[in-house]
Amino acid sequence: MKTRICDLLKIEYPIVQGGMAWVAEHHLAAAVSNAGGLGIIAAGNAPAEVIREEIRKAKELTDKPFGVNIMLLSPHASEIAKLVVEEKVPVVTTGAGNPESYISMWKEAGIIIIPVVASVALAKRMEKYGADAVVAEGCEAGGHIGELTTMTLIPQIVDAVSIPVIAAGGIGDGRGLAAVFMLGAEAGQIGTRFVVSHESIVHENYKKRIIDSKDIDSTVTGRSTGHPVRSIRNNMTRNYLKLEKEGKSFEELELLTLGSLRKAVMEGDMSEGSIMAGQIAGLISKQQSCKEIITEIVTEADKLMRL
Ligand code: TUI
């Protein structure tokens, strides 16, 4: 199962791990890279020095390539954009914005640039500015999302650009990976399934909540503020949606989510924490190692595509 993404990223299997804030730290990234995929350290809202340490620790755990995801809404995004050059990180993905202003600096440093996009317009713009590939993320994904589904977004982006497309949003097993190949993608980015891996450092309550979740357990908050976020329904999302319905301001709503992802990931607070997860959570039924997850997904997809 070799695609242009395997050659571009020098990886064995066309699987990229999602850049999930708080969750995607050096243990997870190194485990995915060691298993033949592309592991990613998510910068989230962390300061540059914290991410420098994460990068150095990942390098101690793997000699395979890995990436850093820069969340562009972070106040530290521009510092981290420079840090990846200093630390000679081979691959950068970006999320929740347009990374245009950093692209020339990264290209000069020889970094492979893969913006996450949720529209054809941004995919085309990224190709024009020199991106090496794009992650096209459908709204089945967890966390900050766009409008379109994976099923509709991937073929439209594949038709609009020549660079390889990595599909994200809703991929949880080999059927999902095979399906996005049929849509023209050349790799799949997987988030939620890696959250429940043995190597993931998230609180056991978070893993259990994903394993226990049903198909309809996630919801989207923040549509009214222009920052839609998918997470598992709980007391926090219920309060948030109620206040949103009452027309509360972005600032008031933000008070509810400030630090809430950390609360869920680190403290296991399943009531007030933000349990970001994709719609595929309902399919995920057990904890496995990253190696087991990747082997199982690739074997299943390969079998289906031979049919
Ligand atoms: O970035 C993500 N997912 C995330 S970031 C995150 S941290 C956060 N926490 C609370 C509130 C907000 C963020 C949690 N999950 N995925 C990549 C992604 N990017 N999905 C959609 C987009 C996107 C959307 C619009 C990228 C660009 C865009 O338009 C930019 C433009 O200027 O056109």
Side-chain angles (χ1 to χ4, degrees):
M1 203 185 284
K2 286 272 176 274
T3 68
R4 286 188 291 171
I5 290 295
C6 300
D7 297 334
L8 176 70
L9 302 177
K10 301 186 177 69
I11 55 177
E12 202 174 339
Y13 306 114
I15 292 182
V16 173
Q17 167 236 313
M20 303 164 285
W22 285 101
V23 177
E25 47 70 77
H26 66 279
H27 293 100
L28 185 64
V32 171
S33 288
N34 283 333
L38 186 81
I40 294 199
I41 292 167
N45 274 315
E49 287 317 306
V50 171
I51 301 308
R52 194 191 299 280
E53 273 312 298
E54 288 296 318
I55 295 167
R56 293 187 175 172
K57 286 177 189 159
K59 283 179 184 163
E60 285 171 18
L61 296 179
T62 185
D63 50 14
K64 300 259 171 64
F66 64 88
V68 168
N69 173 269
I70 305 180
M71 208 279 282
L72 295 166
L73 294 171
S74 163
H76 307 289
S78 70
E79 262 180 279
I80 293 166
K82 291 181 212 128
L83 168 75
V84 293
V85 174
E86 286 168 23
E87 294 294 323
K88 300 189 176 18
V89 172
V91 184
V92 167
T93 68
T94 61
N98 180 342
E100 223 159 88
S101 58
Y102 306 121
I103 290 184
S104 62
M105 172 175 75
W106 291 335
K107 283 201 88 67
E108 272 169 43
I111 293 176
I112 294 167
I113 305 161
I114 311 184
V116 179
V117 301
S119 69
V120 167
L122 192 60
K124 283 168 84 166
R125 207 173 162 96
M126 293 299 97
E127 177 175 53
K128 187 168 128 199
Y129 277 81
D132 297 281
V134 288
V135 173
E137 190 184 271
C139 61
E140 297 92 322
H144 182 89
I145 52 171
E147 279 293 329
L148 295 183
T149 60
T150 300
M151 182 78 150
T152 56
L153 182 67
I154 304 305
Q156 295 189 69
I157 290 187
V158 166
D159 283 353
V161 299
S162 307
I163 52 177
V165 174
I166 301 165
I171 308 173
D173 65 9
R175 292 171 296 181
L177 185 62
V180 298
F181 275 126
M182 297 299 110
L183 299 175
E186 295 187 54
Q189 178 178 280
I190 294 173
T192 307
R193 181 127 182 224
F194 284 126
V195 174
V196 301
S197 66
H198 292 316
E199 294 91 341
S200 150
I201 54 84
V202 312
H203 197 283
E204 281 302 313
N205 294 354
Y206 201 123
K207 293 186 185 179
K208 187 168 184 313
R209 187 66 194 84
I210 288 176
I211 288 169
D212 292 345
S213 69
K214 297 193 303 294
D215 53 352
I216 56 168
D217 282 0
S218 82
T219 188
V220 179
T221 54
R223 287 209 196 273
S224 67
T225 66
H227 293 289
V229 170
R230 180 179 303 285
S231 51
I232 307 270
R233 218 183 296 272
N234 63 2
N235 200 42
M236 185 280 289
T237 64
R238 270 187 291 276
N239 282 338
Y240 193 108
L241 290 168
K242 181 166 165 275
L243 295 179
E244 237 184 325
K245 218 170 177 178
E246 291 167 6
K248 292 287 191 296
S249 70
F250 178 65
E251 287 70 25
E252 275 176 277
L253 291 166
E254 209 180 23
L255 288 177
L256 265 183
T257 53
L258 212 64
S260 63
L261 182 58
R262 193 194 65 80
K263 246 189 245 173
V265 172
M266 307 304 285
E267 294 167 21
D269 183 343
M270 297 294 100
S271 169
E272 303 308 321
S274 182
I275 318 166
M276 292 184 192
Q279 287 184 318
I280 204 66
L283 189 85
I284 295 165
S285 59
K286 58 179 183 296
Q287 283 204 41
Q288 289 167 300
S289 69
C290 291
K291 179 86 201 160
E292 284 167 337
I293 292 172
I294 291 177
T295 307
E296 198 174 291
I297 291 176
V298 169
T299 308
E300 192 185 4
D302 189 57
K303 208 158 117 190
L304 288 169
M305 288 192 298
R306 280 172 203 281
L307 282 177

